[in-house]
Amino acid sequence: MHDFTRLGRQRHVRAQHDGHTRRLTMYRFALDLQEGIILKRRNRFVMDVLIGDTVVACHCPVTGRIGDLVFDGVPCLISTTNDPRRNTAFTVEAISIDTDRQWIGIHQGRANDFVAYCLNTDALPVFPYSKHVEREQVIGTSRLDFKVDGVYMEVKAPLTELFVTPLPRFERRAVTRPIETDRLIRHLETLIATLPATKRAVLLYVFLYDAPVFTGNPNRKQDARIRQLIRDAITNGLEIWQVNGELSREGIRLIRCVETTNHFK
């Protein structure tokens, strides 16, 4: 992994990317997040969280597995909304399971908002001077997250494997079946299909914590399929990049953005 100096916590900082210095601004939440304790994950969509002396139902933004955790007693950060269309006013945004009390963002939509903000502030060297950013681009029967100056980019926030060491008090369960990645394969195939016209496409892995370089898990059959698709497409212009961000109650700041294409060849 490239060695980037960690950015300070101040709202405005100076950062160096590929010889160009630009001003970075923290992506800030509309309201500061609240801290709570997850009592249980009721189902794929709902977590029961203790905030102070009150138990509230919170939307879980990840329908699949998050690591191999049993969530009883896991600290979390939650956001609130006044949207009358929502079944609950709360959403679990992040969890913490290690000794450093590092918050791990688990909200894919939040990751996309963070990426959009970074693109619009020229903070990402993958598109250092983006002029026209479009979101949610429909391609055939699929949808890609971004189109930046005519180049398509798909954003993924891997959570089935967490790259931190949980404290012993957090219960974990054995994984007895492969992780389903059909949706990722479908989006990846759609992204690759844009290459003949654009000659460039980007798969961006986003971690809302300080993760190591991500290369998938070659021991899983489905991940091996993904790696092969990526390897075949790199020669046609597919690039792989990784963004790490630090999530706090106030917002998300960029730690680093590095190209990882060579790790997939």
Side-chain angles (χ1 to χ4, degrees), residues 4-265:
F4 281 82
T5 302
R6 285 180 175 273
L7 309 180
R9 289 182 180 272
Q10 65 271 31
R11 182 174 176 85
H12 295 289
V13 296
R14 303 295 287 185
Q16 194 79 20
H17 286 311
D18 297 336
H20 300 288
T21 302
R22 59 180 61 86
R23 185 173 295 275
L24 296 182
T25 305
M26 175 185 280
Y27 167 77
R28 290 187 177 271
F29 304 133
L31 297 172
D32 286 0
L33 305 182
Q34 300 179 67
E35 187 168 341
I37 299 292
I38 300 172
L39 300 181
K40 65 178 179 179
R41 185 174 185 176
R42 192 189 304 177
N43 54 46
R44 292 191 303 160
F45 307 101
V46 179
M47 289 177 165
D48 291 328
V49 176
L50 179 66
I51 307 174
D53 297 324
T54 305
V55 178
V56 297
C58 297
H59 170 60
C60 177
V62 182
T63 57
R65 187 167 61 85
I66 305 172
D68 52 2
L69 290 172
V70 175
F71 279 93
D72 303 5
V74 172
C76 67
L77 292 177
I78 68 169
S79 61
T80 59
T81 179
N82 294 320
D83 188 343
R85 297 170 297 179
R86 289 278 304 272
N87 292 327
T88 171
F90 305 98
T91 297
V92 177
E93 297 277 350
I95 61 173
S96 179
I97 57 175
D98 63 349
T99 55
D100 296 330
R101 198 53 180 273
Q102 175 181 209
W103 292 111
I104 299 171
I106 64 170
H107 196 317
Q108 171 79 57
R110 190 71 73 179
N112 284 17
D113 290 344
F114 174 55
V115 169
Y117 182 83
C118 289
L119 287 170
N120 287 322
T121 54
D122 292 336
L124 300 182
V126 57
F127 292 106
Y129 303 109
S130 56
K131 296 179 180 178
H132 190 58
V133 178
E134 301 173 85
R135 298 183 65 171
E136 298 294 324
Q137 296 297 294
V138 176
I139 307 292
T141 59
S142 190
R143 182 176 298 178
L144 298 176
D145 292 312
F146 289 92
K147 187 179 183 182
V148 184
D149 295 334
V151 175
Y152 291 94
M153 178 168 70
E154 179 68 2
V155 175
K156 294 300 177 186
L159 288 167
T160 55
E161 185 177 6
L162 300 179
F163 299 98
V164 299
T165 302
L167 290 168
R169 66 187 177 91
F170 295 119
E171 185 181 352
R172 303 162 76 180
R173 58 166 58 92
V175 179
T176 58
R177 61 182 178 82
I179 303 303
E180 295 298 326
T181 54
D182 290 345
R183 185 169 182 268
L184 171 56
I185 290 174
R186 185 173 70 253
H187 286 177
L188 183 56
E189 289 174 338
T190 301
L191 183 66
I192 291 170
T194 68
L195 283 170
T198 63
K199 309 304 180 186
R200 186 190 184 205
V202 176
L203 176 61
L204 181 69
Y205 287 111
V206 176
F207 295 85
L208 298 185
Y209 65 102
D210 199 7
V213 170
F214 178 73
T215 59
N217 187 338
N219 295 322
R220 292 191 186 119
K221 182 178 179 181
Q222 290 283 59
D223 276 19
R225 166 66 174 154
I226 292 169
R227 289 181 64 86
Q228 188 61 53
L229 282 171
I230 290 173
R231 189 179 298 113
D232 293 342
I234 285 174
T235 57
N236 295 320
L238 179 67
E239 299 173 14
I240 318 301
W241 288 73
Q242 178 172 330
V243 161
N244 284 5
E246 181 184 65
L247 188 147
S248 65
R249 290 183 184 227
E250 296 79 24
I252 307 168
R253 71 175 181 89
L254 180 68
I255 298 175
R256 63 178 62 85
C257 174
V258 294
E259 185 175 6
T260 58
T261 307
N262 288 336
H263 292 272
F264 288 84
K265 289 182 177 179

